[in-house]
Amino acid sequence: MTAQYSISGSTARGIATSVERAVADAVLGPGAPLPPVRQLAMELGVSPGTVAVAYKELRQRGIVVTRGRGGTVVAQGPSVGSRRPPRVPEGLRDLASGHPDPAFLPELHPPARVGPVSGSHRASPRLASLEELTRAWFERDGVPAAHVTFAHGALDCVARLLSTELRPGDTVAVEDPGFHHLLDLVPALGLGTAPVAVDDEGMSPGALSAALRSGARAVVCSPRGQSPMGGRFTRERRDDLAAVLAAHPEVLVIEDDHNADISGAEAHPLAAAGPPRWALVRTVSKYLGIDLRWAGVACDATTLARHDGRLLLTSGWVSHVLQETVARLLDDEEVTRLVERAEEEYARRREALVVELGSRGIAAHGASGLNVWVPVRDESAVVNGLRSHGWWVAAGARFRISAPTAVRITTAALEPADAARLASDFAAVLSESEALYGG
């Protein structure tokens, strides 16, 4: 077994490095079992304690997980690298990326002239004009905006919040299926994941309660436009989740409202329900420009201090050139009208595919956002089958922890007429797959 996996080393660090190298080189794939501690210790001529320390380090870094009697196995998304999507084959229609339609992105106009700065912006990291616009953005949806700050995008903010709030080995409750970059980020920070099932209304209150009772110290969720399933909080679901969280006031609640203005759903964020520790993150990359790596954050006072304290020690501030660019876009009436048209069109395209699939007996999820989630028996068979028809969709594996199999289809640039053709091809692929499986 050791020879097969090429595990070597005479110290805990050496053994851990050997396993990490095998994972990075794809010699050990997701779910691959590692030898039992005592067996590997005997084969390497080291003490069981040395192997146990190596395995502990690998667990804390998110490379492996322990499944009780199932032993230690390579994690589904080992944090030696992000689960990047495969390259889109030439000639295929890309419905896997999750990107917006470029036709609905405004032209960017950075400041024409930028004067030199004496020293740094650490003493005044936020432009007053953008801070005012950000407060109004949150207050519009009932989110308290007494404390706001900026970050370099949603994941940058989430990573900073988790790393200042939690310690390696702590657990984070995450959506399952969920945003694949977040599922990679959490173990990369040395944190464990507690998967929480989601439906068309977002996180399941029962599943969240179970995760919190098991010791999760933070929750990361999407109030709308949830990726990949498209769920959105209704007022009733938000209130049910808030009731669950009320029993755990020490838990940090992070909401990623990443496509707020183009989600096609009303805002019912947990932040408006008054949790003690919270942060609501909004970005503009999905509807103002994917290169605008800026996020506005509303949060409680303690969370603000911890976030900004860590930011001060690292990058210090978000570029004022970037801030000025974002402020101009947010305050531009023509851009606002473009975003409103985008939200309407994205909803029309998303709903068209759901209806077309449903008319062919194919259940699909897509209550908000840019994607449709379609449960299937065999992800690979569907992805490859649709590829033969000229479509490229995303296998659900990179979005799942323990959720059932499915595929994700980005509908942002999919016209309704094309949705009918895709749904027809999808039905044909499923028929072929069922014939292969014997019905």
Side-chain angles (χ1 to χ4, degrees):
M1 196 171 201
T2 307
Q4 178 185 354
Y5 294 153
S6 302
I7 297 177
S8 61
S10 57
T11 64
R13 176 170 294 183
I15 295 169
T17 299
S18 175
V19 172
E20 181 176 1
R21 186 185 308 115
V23 172
D25 293 342
V27 177
L28 286 172
L34 298 189
V37 169
R38 291 189 178 278
Q39 177 183 330
L40 183 58
M42 184 177 298
E43 293 178 1
L44 296 179
V46 299
S47 71
T50 298
V51 177
V53 171
Y55 281 13
K56 180 179 179 180
E57 179 181 340
L58 291 167
R59 283 196 303 273
Q60 290 179 339
R61 296 177 55 207
I63 297 173
V64 304
V65 295
T66 299
R67 296 177 174 170
R69 294 182 179 179
T72 299
V73 302
V74 176
Q76 287 301 311
S79 59
V80 294
S82 181
R83 285 175 283 187
R84 298 186 181 278
R87 185 184 301 276
V88 181
E90 187 175 350
L92 298 188
R93 179 78 177 275
D94 180 14
L95 302 178
S97 67
H99 294 319
D101 185 344
F104 292 112
L105 296 177
E107 187 174 310
L108 302 184
H109 294 283
R113 299 181 64 184
V114 180
V117 175
S118 176
S120 76
H121 288 301
R122 290 179 187 271
S124 55
R126 295 183 292 277
L127 286 180
S129 59
L130 183 55
E131 187 168 341
E132 181 179 347
L133 289 166
T134 303
R135 292 185 193 279
W137 195 20
F138 287 119
E139 289 171 346
R140 180 191 68 191
D141 296 318
V143 177
H147 307 288
V148 299
T149 189
F150 303 157
H152 302 90
L155 283 174
D156 170 73
C157 178
V158 172
R160 192 172 295 110
L161 292 173
L162 292 178
S163 63
T164 58
E165 189 74 23
L166 278 62
R167 295 293 177 267
D170 288 342
T171 302
V172 181
V174 297
E175 296 163 330
D176 183 23
F179 184 37
H180 60 294
H181 289 308
L182 176 68
L183 299 185
D184 292 337
L185 172 64
V186 172
L189 296 174
L191 306 171
T193 55
V196 178
V198 296
D199 57 26
D200 291 337
E201 296 185 25
M203 276 188 162
S204 159
L208 176 60
S209 179
L212 296 176
R213 290 198 308 271
S214 70
R217 293 194 54 207
V219 178
V220 182
C221 60
S222 300
R224 51 187 171 175
Q226 192 269 348
S227 180
M229 201 170 186
R232 78 283 184 251
F233 290 167
T234 58
R235 188 181 300 276
E236 294 75 17
R237 175 60 61 85
R238 187 274 308 277
D239 291 346
D240 289 343
L241 292 171
V244 170
L245 289 163
H248 304 272
E250 74 288 353
V251 169
L252 175 63
V253 180
I254 304 173
E255 294 180 272
D256 180 5
D257 196 11
H258 63 283
N259 58 11
D261 287 15
I262 56 169
S263 65
E266 292 184 10
H268 297 293
L270 285 163
R277 299 296 316 287
W278 63 279
L280 179 64
V281 187
R282 287 180 174 173
T283 60
V284 297
S285 59
K286 289 294 185 183
Y287 60 95
L288 294 184
I290 61 174
D291 198 39
L292 293 177
R293 312 311 297 171
W294 174 88
V297 189
C299 54
D300 66 90
T302 298
T303 300
L304 177 77
R306 292 179 178 179
H307 175 277
D308 284 6
R310 181 63 61 86
L311 180 67
L312 185 67
L313 293 172
T314 53
S315 59
W317 68 90
V318 176
S319 163
H320 278 213
V321 176
L322 174 58
Q323 290 188 45
E324 180 67 34
T325 302
V326 173
R328 292 184 180 194
L329 291 168
L330 291 179
D331 202 33
D332 188 315
E333 293 183 359
E334 184 176 340
V335 171
T336 298
R337 288 193 292 270
L338 177 63
V339 172
E340 290 172 348
R341 292 199 301 273
E343 182 175 38
E344 293 174 359
E345 188 61 25
Y346 287 147
R348 188 173 75 94
R349 296 174 182 182
R350 184 184 66 250
E351 292 164 3
L353 181 59
V354 172
V355 169
E356 292 289 352
L357 289 170
S359 69
R360 293 165 175 78
I362 303 171
H365 302 273
S368 63
L370 306 181
N371 303 294
V372 169
W373 182 250
V374 189
V376 297
R377 178 186 297 181
D378 187 325
E379 294 177 1
S380 296
V382 171
V383 170
N384 291 326
L386 288 175
R387 176 177 181 172
S388 68
H389 289 274
W391 307 102
W392 186 245
V393 303
R398 60 194 174 102
F399 306 98
R400 300 184 292 105
I401 299 176
S402 57
T405 51
V407 295
R408 192 191 76 168
I409 303 173
T410 299
T411 58
L414 186 70
E415 293 285 356
D418 293 331
R421 183 165 62 88
L422 172 59
S424 178
D425 291 340
F426 205 116
V429 169
L430 288 184
S431 295
E432 296 168 1
S433 177
E434 289 176 358
L436 180 64
Y437 280 106

